[in-house]
């Protein structure tokens, strides 16, 4: 077969590997004819979303024939008072994923370097490669970020540094003090993106959002998402907070109506229901303890996590275990694409889902 249309694509796209999503429940149901499936593959909220959002969707006053508010005024208003920033500092995205890519598109290109850590979120290398910039991958330390090594990797060509805090897929986090010290040391013309997708879940006392530092750091961008603790992954909604000029540039290059009206309205309602978020976090943190305990009992190591997922170490190729779990109706996430072939990432589910997983895992380990 000739590869004509592959070869005519921009050079950086010809070797691009697409993002590998978790296996959809529907796919497994179709393939194995299973009716009862537990999906613990994509760090979604097992409680669903706020009942205020489901009520809104059941009775929407949204006019589907009209374009959405391209500026997302109502949602930005809530975000601005929640974070104590101006509305001009917020950018809304079709998931925070879109914003992570907009940043690379706006500020880097061929000849530029973008730094991120080994085992960091898969969207960073994709965003880098799409714009033709060079990825600079800094070796991890104990599965987490080595901030000193990241500082040492900075060159004249560095344009952007991506930091996920906590990180996915490892679940590790950076405490506030070293991260703040890092921000002080990074050259002021380099953008530091602190991706706080799992912010809501973290209970460690030495963890802090970097959002309060926006006023004193022009080169800082903080991103958040509605896909995890808010349980709205399907609506695709995320946002960034930054210097207003960075927000201005990102808003120029995004699609004019990148966030739909339903997501905009749901976002407002979801932010108002912090009780739901608290319940989600509590369920998660109890479930996380149970999963850790269960793994320990099975003699399995894992990477200590502060997120809504945990990476379990099977000390051998985890592929066959992933497959065997599928046959038990449990979908986990292989992370071989992160060069972690011995691990599976498991999202914390409901109490029952966690139990189903542990039972399936016990069976599979004894096979
Ligand atoms: C899930 C996740 C996101 C959020 O993605 P959305 O596009 O907002 O759904 C961002 N960063 C990390 C590290 C994630 O794991």
């Amino acid at each position: 077969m000739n590869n004509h249309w592959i070869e005519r694509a921009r050079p950086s796209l010809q070797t691009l590997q697409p993002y590998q999503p978790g296996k959809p429940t529907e796919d497994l149901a179709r393939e194995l004819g299973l009716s009862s499936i537990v999906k613990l593959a994509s760090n979604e909220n097992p409680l669903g979303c706020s009942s205020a959002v489901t009520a809104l969707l059941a009775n929407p006053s949204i006019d589907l024939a009209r374009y959405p508010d391209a500026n997302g005024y109502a949602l930005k208003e809530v975000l601005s008072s929640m974070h104590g920033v101006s509305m001009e500092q917020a950018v809304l995205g079709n998931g925070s994923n879109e914003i992570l890519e907009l940043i690379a598109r706006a500020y880097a290109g061929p000849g530029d370097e973008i730094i991120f850590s080994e085992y960091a979120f898969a969207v960073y290398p994709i965003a880098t490669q799409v714009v033709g910039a060079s990825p600079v991958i800094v070796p991890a330390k104990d599965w987490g970020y080595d901030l000193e090594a990241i500082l040492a990797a900075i060159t004249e060509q560095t344009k952007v540094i991506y930091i996920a805090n906590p990180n996915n897929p490892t679940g590790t986090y950076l405490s506030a003090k070293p991260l703040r010290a890092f921000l002080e040391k990074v050259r002021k013309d380099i953008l530091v993106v602190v991706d706080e997708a799992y912010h809501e879940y973290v209970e460690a006392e030495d963890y802090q959002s970097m959002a309060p530092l926006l006023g004193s750091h022009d080169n800082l961008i903080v991103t958040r998402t509605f896909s995890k603790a808010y349980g709205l992954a399907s609506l695709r909604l995320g946002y960034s907070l930054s210097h207003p000029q960075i927000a201005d540039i990102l808003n120029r290059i995004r699609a004019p109506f990148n966030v739909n009206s339903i997501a905009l309205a749901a976002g407002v309602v979801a932010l108002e229901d912090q009780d739901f978020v608290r319940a989600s976090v509590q369920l998660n943190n109890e479930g996380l303890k149970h999963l850790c305990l269960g793994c320990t009992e099975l003699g399995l190591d894992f990477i200590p996590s502060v997120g809504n997922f945990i990476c379990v170490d099977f000390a051998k190729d985890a592929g066959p275990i992933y497959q065997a779990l599928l046959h038990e109706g449990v979908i986990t996430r292989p992370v071989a694409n992160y060069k972690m072939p011995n691990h599976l990432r498991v999202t914390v589910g409901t109490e029952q889902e966690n139990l189903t997983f542990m039972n399936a895992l016990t069976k599979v380990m004894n096979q």
Side-chain angles (χ1 to χ4, degrees), residues 133-265:
S134 303
V136 175
I137 305 170
V138 175
K141 196 164 82 183
D142 298 328
W143 301 106
Y145 287 61
D146 183 345
L147 291 177
E148 290 303 319
I150 292 176
L151 284 173
I154 292 173
T155 71
E156 280 305 307
Q157 283 70 49
T158 307
K159 291 289 158 62
V160 178
I161 304 174
Y162 287 111
I163 306 250
N165 196 33
N167 186 51
N168 170 23
T170 56
T172 54
Y173 76 102
L174 290 161
S175 51
K177 218 170 144 190
L179 186 50
R180 258 188 308 219
F182 171 83
L183 288 174
E184 299 306 327
K185 289 180 197 156
V186 174
R187 228 172 49 225
K188 299 303 168 215
D189 61 310
I190 299 171
L191 284 173
V192 181
V193 182
V194 181
D195 175 351
E196 299 184 341
Y198 300 95
H199 164 79
E200 293 81 1
Y201 291 107
V202 190
E203 289 184 326
E205 277 177 15
D206 56 351
Y207 165 87
Q208 272 168 24
S209 169
M210 288 297 114
L213 273 67
L214 285 163
S216 52
H217 294 73
D218 284 4
N219 61 332
L220 172 65
I221 307 180
V222 173
T223 62
R224 295 277 184 93
T225 182
F226 287 84
S227 300
K228 309 287 159 57
Y230 288 94
L232 297 175
S234 78
L235 289 183
R236 310 307 302 123
L237 182 63
Y239 62 96
S240 66
L241 304 172
S242 67
H243 189 281
Q245 289 172 15
I246 297 172
D248 179 12
I249 287 290
L250 300 182
N251 276 318
R252 291 184 205 188
I253 64 169
R254 67 175 170 79
F257 304 103
N258 61 330
V259 179
N260 69 71
S261 306
I262 298 173
L264 289 174

Side-chain angles (χ1 to χ4, degrees), residues 68-343:
D69 173 3
N71 291 317
Y73 189 92
L75 179 54
K76 282 188 191 167
E77 206 173 28
V78 180
L79 290 173
S80 112
S81 72
M82 176 175 155
H83 291 288
V85 298
S86 72
M87 286 171 66
E88 290 70 35
Q89 292 181 264
V91 176
L92 304 179
N94 200 265
S96 53
N97 197 325
E98 181 188 23
I99 297 178
L100 296 170
E101 294 203 21
L102 290 177
I103 294 165
R105 263 173 62 201
Y107 288 98
D112 297 330
E113 292 174 352
I114 296 184
I115 302 180
F116 47 88
S117 175
E118 184 184 24
Y119 313 129
F121 188 38
V123 165
Y124 310 153
I126 293 173
T128 302
Q129 203 173 340
V130 164
V131 301
S134 303
V136 175
I137 305 170
V138 175
K141 196 164 82 183
D142 298 328
W143 301 106
Y145 287 61
D146 183 345
L147 291 177
E148 290 303 319
I150 292 176
L151 284 173
I154 292 173
T155 71
E156 280 305 307
Q157 283 70 49
T158 307
K159 291 289 158 62
V160 178
I161 304 174
Y162 287 111
I163 306 250
N165 196 33
N167 186 51
N168 170 23
T170 56
T172 54
Y173 76 102
L174 290 161
S175 51
K177 218 170 144 190
L179 186 50
R180 258 188 308 219
F182 171 83
L183 288 174
E184 299 306 327
K185 289 180 197 156
V186 174
R187 228 172 49 225
K188 299 303 168 215
D189 61 310
I190 299 171
L191 284 173
V192 181
V193 182
V194 181
D195 175 351
E196 299 184 341
Y198 300 95
H199 164 79
E200 293 81 1
Y201 291 107
V202 190
E203 289 184 326
E205 277 177 15
D206 56 351
Y207 165 87
Q208 272 168 24
S209 169
M210 288 297 114
L213 273 67
L214 285 163
S216 52
H217 294 73
D218 284 4
N219 61 332
L220 172 65
I221 307 180
V222 173
T223 62
R224 295 277 184 93
T225 182
F226 287 84
S227 300
K228 309 287 159 57
Y230 288 94
L232 297 175
S234 78
L235 289 183
R236 310 307 302 123
L237 182 63
Y239 62 96
S240 66
L241 304 172
S242 67
H243 189 281
Q245 289 172 15
I246 297 172
D248 179 12
I249 287 290
L250 300 182
N251 276 318
R252 291 184 205 188
I253 64 169
R254 67 175 170 79
F257 304 103
N258 61 330
V259 179
N260 69 71
S261 306
I262 298 173
L264 289 174
V268 171
V269 171
L271 287 174
E272 283 163 357
D273 189 357
Q274 289 298 319
D275 284 347
F276 173 78
V277 176
R278 272 188 289 275
S280 301
V281 170
Q282 194 185 341
L283 179 80
N284 180 73
N285 295 349
E286 284 163 13
L288 190 58
K289 278 189 206 116
H290 286 152
L291 289 181
C292 292
L293 215 67
C295 286
T296 304
E297 279 170 8
L298 284 175
L300 292 169
D301 215 349
F302 52 84
I303 304 172
S305 170
V306 296
N308 64 342
F309 56 89
I310 188 162
C311 260
V312 183
D313 184 359
F314 292 92
K316 61 178 181 190
D317 180 13
I321 294 160
Y322 168 70
Q323 291 296 339
L325 285 170
L326 287 181
H327 283 267
E328 299 300 319
V330 177
I331 311 176
T332 60
R333 185 69 158 269
V335 281
N337 57 324
Y338 287 93
K339 299 203 166 63
M340 298 169 69
N342 293 354
H343 287 79

Side-chain angles (χ1 to χ4, degrees), residues 6-16 129:
I6 301 290
E7 283 158 12
R8 286 183 72 84
R10 286 191 288 111
S12 67
L13 304 185
Q14 295 178 18
T15 54
L16 181 66
Q129 203 173 340

